[in-house]
């Protein structure tokens, strides 16, 4: 079953813009798998805490992480992403994702303001 990908704010796209073109393509391809595949191998997805998951994307010697939540069975909300530079996931990135999740917790599907671009639905605000 195809999942709907929703971006919360511009955090994910801001992260993507900082990457080289080939890195952007790799991350987009990985997100496409998240959207279309029912089962993603467990080593690509790690539960962090408080309903936040980390999507692990490797490209060459670089590791990228995108935080997300599942909203029901069909919607994945993407939050912030970052290029991993150390063994541990930076605490400030986890805290940022948790704060974004808390913000989205005040929204309902019917009050989400949605904007569309070529690839993603972007939920930027609560109405």
């Amino acid at each position: 079953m195809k999942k709907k990908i929703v971006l919360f704010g511009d955090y994910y796209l801001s992260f993507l813009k900082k990457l080289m073109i080939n890195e952007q393509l790799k991350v987009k391809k990985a997100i496409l798998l998240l959207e279309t595949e029912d089962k993603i191998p467990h080593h690509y997805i790690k539960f962090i805490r408080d309903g936040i998951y980390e999507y692990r994307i490797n490209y060459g010697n670089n590791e990228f992480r995108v935080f997300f939540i599942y909203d029901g069975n069909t919607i994945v909300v993407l939050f912030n992403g970052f290029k991993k530079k150390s063994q541990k996931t930076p605490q400030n990135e986890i805290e940022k994702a948790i704060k974004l999740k808390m913000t989205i917790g005040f929204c309902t599907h019917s009050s989400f303001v949605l904007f569309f671009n070529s690839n993603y639905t972007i939920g930027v605000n609560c109405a």
Side-chain angles (χ1 to χ4, degrees):
M1 175 188 342
K2 187 173 179 176
K3 297 174 200 72
K4 184 176 182 180
I5 302 291
V6 177
L7 309 183
F8 186 71
D10 64 351
Y11 304 97
Y12 169 77
L13 294 177
S14 294
F15 153 70
L16 212 54
K17 288 177 185 176
K18 294 176 188 174
L19 304 179
M20 305 286 285
I21 295 295
N22 53 351
E23 294 170 335
Q24 289 179 17
L25 293 173
K26 176 65 176 184
V27 171
K28 287 179 180 181
K29 184 177 178 181
I31 297 300
L32 182 64
L33 288 176
L34 187 63
E35 181 180 23
T36 57
E37 297 298 318
D38 285 332
K39 300 211 182 242
I40 304 283
H42 71 278
H43 60 276
Y44 291 114
I45 295 177
K46 178 183 178 185
F47 178 76
I48 299 296
R49 71 174 203 244
D50 299 333
I52 302 282
Y53 292 84
E54 176 184 72
Y55 192 29
R56 301 167 164 196
I57 304 161
N58 296 319
Y59 182 73
N61 291 330
N62 296 312
E63 295 183 32
F64 305 98
R65 301 295 188 260
V66 176
F67 290 115
F68 70 95
I69 60 171
Y70 289 107
D71 186 8
N73 292 325
T74 58
I75 298 176
V76 176
V77 179
L78 298 180
F79 293 142
N80 50 316
F82 63 97
K83 187 173 186 176
K84 194 165 181 200
K85 296 178 182 177
S86 66
Q87 285 286 18
K88 289 190 77 170
T89 299
Q91 191 63 33
N92 65 320
E93 293 290 346
I94 294 171
E95 294 300 325
K96 183 177 182 180
I98 290 170
K99 285 179 186 175
L100 291 171
K101 179 183 179 257
M102 289 171 52
T103 302
I104 204 170
F106 295 109
C107 301
T108 63
H109 296 299
S110 60
S111 67
F112 226 175
V113 177
L114 299 177
F115 296 92
F116 299 89
N117 75 4
S118 58
N119 296 319
Y120 307 105
T121 301
I122 306 173
V124 296
N125 223 333
C126 293

